[in-house]
Amino acid sequence: MKFSTLLTVGLAASAHAQVEMDRLMRLKTDHWNQMRAQGVFNRYDNARLGAVRPEPCVNGKSGPYSCDKVDMLSFLSHSQLGSSTKEGNDVWGWTSPDGREFGAVGQTDGTAFVEIDKSGALRYVGRLPTQTVASPWRDMKVVNGYVYIGSEAADHGLQVFDMRKLLSVRGAPKTFNTGRDLTAWYRGFGSSHNIVAHEEKNMVYAVGTSRSSSCKGGLFMLDVSNPANPTSPGCVSEDGYVHDAQCVVYNGPDTQYNGKEICFNYNEDTLTIVDVTNKASPRQISRTPYAGSAYTHQGWLTSTSDMRFLLLDDELDELDRTGVAANNRTTTYIFNITSLASPINTGYYQSPVKSIDHNQYTKDGLSYQSNYNSGLRIVDVRSVEADPTGKGFKQVGFFDCHPEDDAAGGIVEFSGSWSVYPYFRSGYILLNSIERGVFALKYRG
């Protein structure tokens, strides 16, 4: 095939992906506008939501929420967390050197900070307002105690905030200043959709920046060895817009890449794998489409110790009823990445209920999935080595933070949970709900 033909095909695919992303954001915005008009975001300030005492999961219920082997230990609404818009999005966590556990809770108008005490109770510590204006999209990751916060808000750039400041807050929550309390405000890009962290290498990657920039919305590299002065050593733009990614120092079966910095990119319609070891000259290893693709959203390695398989979630397949997701049930795609140059989609897993998937992270053989209306779903994926079709995958616990559609077996819409953080040593889990607030949970499996 001639280069000109390849270029034409690539441009057409990129244009189609942009149309789908624009449609996805429009669908979400229309749904959230409808929720605002119905007063949904004002309903939960005084409701019985489990903020006062733990609600163990007993007979399938934790307070008003359906559950299985997941206890609700604490809850704080977005209003209680200082948000005037009362709308949530992403969440991430940080553990201090002395073992205290904190969460960064994304909201449309900023980031709230909470501490989880030894009992699992949440304490509102403070908040960092948005750098410019409010936006439904805010994302954050932590590297060496600094949280890096991006947003789709115009000209937001990247906020760099030292979470060690939270250690000295006593009494009333503190509202931090977007000037003097920031370690840095990086303005090398304006808006971004997601923030990717590779803590081992002191790297942050902003993805989903402007498609019209030279980076084309790809991996915008930031060396954060000096958090007060982030610098950009390069960009990955070959496959265009990256929606999300996971970057690792590779140590897997494809031994030619051992010790290399590899990013697994979720690129709207493909899984795209890139070697970013040489920041000035990154190399795309593979670009893999899959049957049923509607909008490739996010994913995670099943294990960072062997790096043989990964899980991928598609945000529009359930809504558009593409491929095996035609039944509206949350679908997780399984990829064998034994060869980084030739990944293979070996199978899939489907949830027992209908819902759109959003973000998932793996730990100790379990995938912690934040699936919009069906909330937190915990899936045992340890059978993937023996049977990569996914037939051995099974749901082992859940906490449904959106009970309104339980009787219907789930509805495919953009309410409920946005993301989950399952990495605290205590085993406590943070789940951030769009319309309610942040939950502190514990899996008892």
Side-chain angles (χ1 to χ4, degrees), residues 13-188:
S14 177
H16 174 73
Q18 181 173 354
V19 169
E20 288 303 289
M21 178 59 169
D22 291 345
R23 179 170 75 94
L24 177 58
M25 294 181 76
R26 186 171 63 251
L27 286 168
K28 291 182 179 182
T29 300
D30 289 347
H31 179 67
W32 296 331
N33 283 339
Q34 184 180 33
M35 291 171 67
R36 294 183 191 107
Q38 294 170 347
V40 172
F41 296 106
N42 295 316
R43 290 179 186 171
Y44 305 107
D45 292 350
N46 301 310
R48 179 175 172 271
L49 293 168
V52 177
R53 58 184 176 83
E55 297 272 9
C57 181
V58 178
N59 297 325
K61 286 290 183 180
S62 175
Y65 304 104
S66 297
C67 61
D68 179 31
K69 301 186 190 72
V70 179
D71 298 338
M72 175 171 59
L73 302 179
S74 186
F75 170 86
L76 289 173
S77 71
H78 288 303
S79 178
Q80 290 173 298
L81 295 174
S83 173
S84 59
T85 58
K86 307 174 185 178
E87 302 172 24
N89 39 60
D90 197 40
V91 65
W92 205 249
W94 172 66
T95 300
S96 70
D98 62 354
R100 293 170 65 182
E101 295 177 338
F102 294 86
V105 182
Q107 300 167 325
T108 59
D109 55 351
T111 302
F113 300 109
V114 297
E115 181 174 9
I116 310 174
D117 71 14
K118 298 299 183 183
S119 70
L122 290 168
R123 178 176 73 95
Y124 172 37
V125 180
R127 64 182 289 103
L128 179 67
T130 181
Q131 197 67 29
T132 52
V133 297
S135 168
W137 291 274
R138 188 171 307 280
D139 200 77
M140 63 281 299
K141 296 294 184 295
V142 176
V143 175
N144 296 327
Y146 294 88
V147 60
Y148 295 83
I149 306 169
S151 174
E152 286 278 8
D155 300 321
H156 185 278
L158 189 71
Q159 294 173 310
V160 184
F161 178 80
D162 188 350
M163 293 189 73
R164 283 165 284 257
K165 289 178 178 286
L166 306 177
L167 298 174
S168 60
V169 176
R170 300 286 185 270
K174 178 177 180 178
T175 297
F176 294 95
N177 186 278
T178 57
R180 62 179 178 272
D181 286 322
L182 288 181
T183 300
W185 177 26
Y186 181 81
R187 284 169 276 184

Side-chain angles (χ1 to χ4, degrees), residues 262-265 271-275 283-288 310 337 339-343:
I262 303 297
C263 290
F264 299 91
N265 299 340
L271 165 65
T272 300
I273 302 176
V274 181
D275 181 348
R283 186 172 73 85
Q284 183 170 300
I285 301 170
S286 61
R287 182 180 186 276
T288 307
L310 63 73
I337 52 169
S339 167
L340 296 185
S342 302

